Structures are given as C-alpha cells and as structure tokens.
Amino acid sequence: MATILRIDTDILILGSGGAGLFAALHAHKGAPELKITVAVKGLLGKSGCTRMVQGGYNVALDPRDSIARHFMDTIEGGKWLNHQELSWVLVNKAVERVLELENDLGCFFDRNPDGSLHQKAFAGQSFDRTVHKGSLTGIEIISRLAEQVWSRGIDRLEEHRAIALVPAADGARIAGVLMIDMRSGDFVFVRAKAVLLATGGGPSMYLYHTPSGDKSCDGMAMALAAGLTLRDMEMVQFHPTGLVAGAHTRITGTIIEEGLRGAGGQLLNAEGSRFLDRYDPAGERATRDIVSRGMFMEMQAGRTGPNGGLYITMRHLDSAMVRREFKGMVERCHDVGFDLVDGLVEVTPAAHYMMGGLVFDTDTSTALPGLFAAGEDTGGVHGANRLGGNGVANSTVFGGIAGDVMADWVRREGAIVDEDGTVIEDAVAGALLPFTRPAGDLTLIQRRMQRITWDDVGIIRDAAGLNRGLAALEALATELQETGVPAGPRLSNVTWHDWLNLRSQILVGRAIATAAQLRQDSRGAHYRTDYPEMDSLQGSRNTLVRLRQGKLAVDTQAVAFTRVRPGETLIESPMQTE
C-alpha cells in the first residue's frame, strides 16, 4: 500500500467556508488549549462558496419584523419539509451571529443614514431583512473570518482533499479522516478526537451551476460511503439568474444576485416580454423554485437569447441607484460585455444549492459519535426550498454551534483511537484505481454527466426522465471505474483530481435521482409533471438515502411539526407599518 503520513490533532475541521471558520474560532475560544486544524481543498480564505455570496444574510433586526415571521417565511418557503427545530435555531441564532460578525470579527455591512444596518428585499420573504455589504457580502465575511483564524495560530492543511471518513477499529466513533496532499500527491491520515464535516455541497454535476470550481460534493459522498444517512436529496435549488456568457467561459453560471429582482429587476424573454406572471402572481419576487421553473418552461418554448438563455433588465429603474446599490454586479456584467444599467443581461437558471444533506441534530452531532456537521453538507434546515440570504446564515450559525459543542465534547469524551485499517486500505486503492486503467476522456464523461442531470434530474422531472437519468448515471459510474488517467507523478495532478471529483459528483447525482424517484408529488425545488400537485402538508414526509453494499437504499419518515403545524402560524399579529 502507498505510504501514508500521519498527523494527530484534537479537532479537525473539513472546509474553510463560513461554517468551518466559525467553528474554528468558537472551538479556539471555548478550549484554547486544544489543537485545532482546518483542512481545505483550496486555500483558506480564497476558495469555497461562502466567499462567493453576493446577496446577504437574513436576520430579523427591525422592530417591525420578528423572529417568528422569519421562521414562518423559512417554513413556508421550505414547503413544510423543514426540521423545525433546526430552522428555529437558525432564525434565533442569526441575530446573535450577525452582531458577532460586526462587533467581534470586524465585518462592516451597509448602513442606513441613521446608522442602523441596511436590509434589502429578497424573494419569498414578508419583510426586507437581508443584511449585506453591497453585492460582495461573502468576501467581507470570509476575509474577516480568515484574518481572525490566521491571528490565532490555528493549524492549516491547505490544498488537502478529504477522501474518506475513517471510523474507529470497533466502529464506535470516528477516528479521523484520510486525505490527499494535492501538492505532493501523498496520502495523509489525520487522527482527531472530533471532526467537523463542513466541505459545502455545491451541485456542480449540472450543466449550468454556480458553485466554485473546487466543489464536487465530496462531503456528502464521504458520508454515504461511511454508511450515514442523507435526507431530502431530491431538493436541489436552481438560482434563477446565472450569467450566460457562452460555452467558452467558466463565468457562465456565475450568479447575478437576487437583490436585483428584489429592487425591481425584470425578467424578459427573447420577444422582450415579461412572462413570470403566468406562473405566479408574485412575478420576479416569487421564490427561487417558482422563478426557475417559469424560466425553464419559457426556455423550452424556444423564446431564448443567442446563448439559449433569457434576460434580466434594470433599464427601467434609476441608473444611479443601480450603479450605487449593485456596483459589483454592474462591474461583473461589464467584464463580459453586458450592460446591466441600460441594457439586457442574458441569464439562465443554474444549479446553486442543495437543501438535502447529512442528517444532523441541533447541536450539529451526527449518527457517528465524534463526527459533527454544519453548512451545506447538512439537510433539514431549509426543507424543500432555501430562501435567498438563509444560506450564509445557516453556515455561520451552525458553524459557531459546532465549535462550541466540539470544544466541550472533546474535553469530556475526546480520545485518539485506533482506526479501522481496512477503510483506509480500501480508500487508498479506490483513489489510485485510475492509475491502473487505460487513460480516457474525462472531459467527455463530465459533459455527459452534466447533460444527464440537466435534462433528466433537473428543474422539471418525470418518472421516465428520472429512470433514464439514474440508469445513465449508474452506467457512467461503471464507465468511470474503467477509465484511467495518464501515467505520471501524483503531485499537483489535476487530471487525477478531476477523476476524483467525478466519482463524488456521480454518486451524489445518483442519490438525487433516487430520492426524486421516491417523492411522487411536487414540492419546492422538486417538480414532477407526472405528479404536479403537492400532497397533503399534514402528511409530509422526508426522504432518506443511504449506501448499502454499493447500492443506494431509500426510505421516508414523517416530518415532525414540533413548533407549528400546517394551517397554523406563530405570528401573533399583522406586521406593524409606519
């Protein structure tokens, strides 16, 4: 077997987005004597999806708003599939966390003339509650978090990709994580008393997608391989406005932020006509699932621009306001030849976020003792559809909780334990497999995967397409196992990591398709033309997916309405107005 380097740490954090960095800071504050290590596939502070957040951070701060209203918006937006206790933690802790971001960590968000935090409109919400830094909120948050992590001397393993969650020899808890040092190509086993899974989701297996290039659903794939359960994997959110700049550029799919529509931006077809009112009375301010579905139907009807997309325009609005409020968006569009202020910008729905993910509890613990999870790797917070602005709140809220809980847990129960060596042996053999196979065309496999998921497991689904898509993905998984990479050194071997990316993406794509087959109604981000109606909300059930002996097994469980039942509300009185 290949040589494996070994490192011991107290707390190992996989991922350096909002969840991972908040966890590192909170764990260090709670137990400064512990050794904390952050492992990231890219560079800390320079990679991942939190950095790419444009819109902002949902939080109920205005006296006319309320935590109960934010909660009800989240539950109703999630079509009552949410784990209500998780959603309750989200909306409550978001208030604490946004103040922490400003007062303790140094974030500077946009403000009103009276000095209060400016909160803008986002779709699907009954109150303007999205705190932001222009349209570059994520850069502000990650830059400040990274500075704080660097200043505390927290250990970093940059350009290290995790490939297996390794249990203890007796299976009673997690023992550590097997990684690849992407620079050297060496295998590294990090033993840890506690591990946080915070790699982020990122549905990059679709033709049009928004996540950063390093995202390949590795965390969810590792969780499946470890025998853990994922919930509601059919719920993949498509952001309505991904930039369409042609197949020749990676900027295609980059988000044109939701705040544009909140400010009055309009979506037009190739005939120059608005169309969303045919799909929902809220038009451009409907939730993301409805807007994306309406756009996709318009695209299928052929009323598209030169690159197959539709258009967003702000030209009917005050140009000075657009330049002032959306400076980053104006510049991004200009860089690729579009005039956001006075012209038309071609856009398409793009796979953006996964509401489904690893089953976890309000304290971020999972079914495997010692393994915690936060952020987009997890499922349950958002239900069937995530409200824009709730994503970065989710990551920072539960990342902070994970740090607090792990620090306490390690002090009480933490131990370095012997690992299950067979898991490591199998993981190493699986990762080296492409070097033993004839080299093939990975780009072709990637394009076929993206086309399969977009056409058959995408915005609009039916039984025939899901069956066809799942069969094609399973065949593609088999083909990948027989497809190798060119012989050569493993150090900085991008082609090898492309192969590993595809392995994760195809497995998670299969989980999405399998869960979508099981859900025979339309709800939130999951829409089936053969089951176009939503089943009774009172009988709502979550889908569950796990991997058993290489095969995906599915089940359901009833949603627990622990705070509020369909037809009820926690809002005690109508919203106050000035």
Side-chain angles (χ1 to χ4, degrees), residues 178-484:
L178 181 66
M179 300 185 188
I180 297 172
D181 180 338
M182 299 168 69
R183 298 171 182 172
S184 67
D186 294 330
F187 291 94
V188 180
F189 177 55
V190 182
R191 293 198 304 176
K193 299 172 183 176
V195 173
L196 176 67
L197 187 65
T199 66
S204 52
M205 68 285 289
Y206 286 89
L207 179 63
Y208 297 111
H209 58 269
T210 70
S212 61
D214 60 324
K215 292 299 177 187
S216 54
C217 297
D218 293 333
M220 294 183 187
M222 289 189 296
L224 283 170
L228 298 169
T229 300
L230 308 186
R231 60 179 285 163
D232 298 331
M233 286 300 291
E234 72 278 16
M235 299 303 176
V236 179
Q237 181 174 87
F238 288 76
H239 195 289
T241 49
L243 188 63
V244 180
H248 63 284
T249 172
R250 285 290 297 273
I251 202 167
T252 288
T254 300
I255 292 174
I256 301 298
E257 72 139 297
E258 188 162 297
L260 295 172
R261 290 181 286 117
Q266 297 177 352
L267 288 167
L268 310 176
N269 59 26
E271 299 167 357
S273 302
R274 296 176 71 185
F275 57 89
L276 278 170
D277 58 351
R278 299 201 304 268
Y279 302 99
D280 192 274
E284 283 84 358
R285 288 198 65 175
T287 52
R288 289 175 174 179
D289 54 320
I290 294 171
V291 177
S292 291
R293 189 157 58 246
M295 291 177 68
F296 190 77
M297 290 178 176
E298 200 73 9
M299 291 163 66
Q300 285 187 316
R303 293 183 284 271
T304 58
N307 292 305
L310 302 169
Y311 296 107
I312 189 168
T313 183
M314 307 289 282
R315 61 190 177 188
H316 57 289
L317 302 173
D318 177 63
S319 59
M321 181 278 290
V322 175
R323 289 191 177 93
R324 181 181 66 253
E325 300 294 335
F326 302 102
K327 181 177 181 290
M329 291 295 95
V330 171
E331 293 175 350
R332 175 169 294 176
C333 291
H334 179 268
D335 288 344
V336 291
F338 292 118
D339 182 358
L340 179 63
V341 178
D342 297 311
L344 301 172
V345 178
E346 194 170 357
V347 293
T348 178
H352 179 54
Y353 191 93
M354 302 180 73
M355 280 73 72
L358 180 60
V359 172
F360 79 129
D361 209 340
T362 53
D363 65 353
T364 72
S365 63
T366 72
L368 181 59
L371 177 67
F372 301 81
E376 198 179 346
D377 275 326
T378 65
V381 177
H382 307 293
N385 184 51
R386 177 177 69 83
L387 297 180
N390 270 0
V392 69
N394 173 26
S395 296
T396 56
V397 162
F398 287 101
I401 291 171
D404 294 335
V405 171
M406 288 190 298
D408 180 64
W409 190 87
V410 167
R411 280 175 165 170
R412 290 184 293 102
E413 303 182 45
I416 294 292
V417 297
D418 292 335
E419 70 277 4
D420 185 338
T422 60
V423 171
I424 293 179
E425 291 174 7
D426 291 345
V428 169
L432 294 177
L433 180 67
F435 291 103
T436 70
R437 298 291 190 266
D441 190 342
L442 295 182
T443 300
L444 180 60
I445 292 177
Q446 180 193 47
R447 289 174 179 168
R448 286 161 56 200
M449 172 191 69
Q450 292 175 340
R451 193 80 246 180
I452 291 164
T453 52
W454 180 260
D455 291 341
D456 292 331
V457 199
I459 298 171
I460 296 179
R461 304 163 174 172
D462 61 26
L466 290 169
N467 293 339
R468 181 173 59 245
L470 181 56
L473 288 172
E474 289 174 342
L476 208 58
T478 300
E479 181 179 342
L480 182 68
Q481 293 294 301
E482 299 302 322
T483 303

Side-chain angles (χ1 to χ4, degrees), residues 466-510:
L466 290 169
N467 293 339
R468 181 173 59 245
L470 181 56
L473 288 172
E474 289 174 342
L476 208 58
T478 300
E479 181 179 342
L480 182 68
Q481 293 294 301
E482 299 302 322
T483 303
V485 300
R490 302 199 304 264
L491 72 164
S492 300
N493 191 323
V494 175
T495 306
W496 180 31
H497 289 282
D498 286 342
W499 189 95
L500 293 169
N501 289 342
L502 285 167
R503 183 177 67 172
S504 294
Q505 290 167 320
I506 292 171
L507 174 59
V508 175
R510 289 167 54 205

Side-chain angles (χ1 to χ4, degrees), residues 53-102:
V53 169
Q54 299 168 0
Y57 192 115
N58 289 346
V59 56
L61 297 176
D62 193 294
R64 297 166 297 168
D65 196 9
S66 68
I67 287 173
R69 185 173 295 280
H70 186 187
F71 177 77
M72 290 307 303
D73 284 349
T74 300
I75 297 300
E76 290 170 355
K79 304 302 180 187
W80 296 86
L81 283 187
N82 313 59
H83 184 299
Q84 292 192 3
E85 295 306 309
L86 292 172
S87 299
W88 187 250
V89 170
L90 171 74
V91 300
N92 276 273
K93 283 287 185 179
V95 178
E96 173 185 322
R97 202 69 82 231
V98 79
L99 297 177
E100 182 181 356
L101 281 165
E102 274 222 321

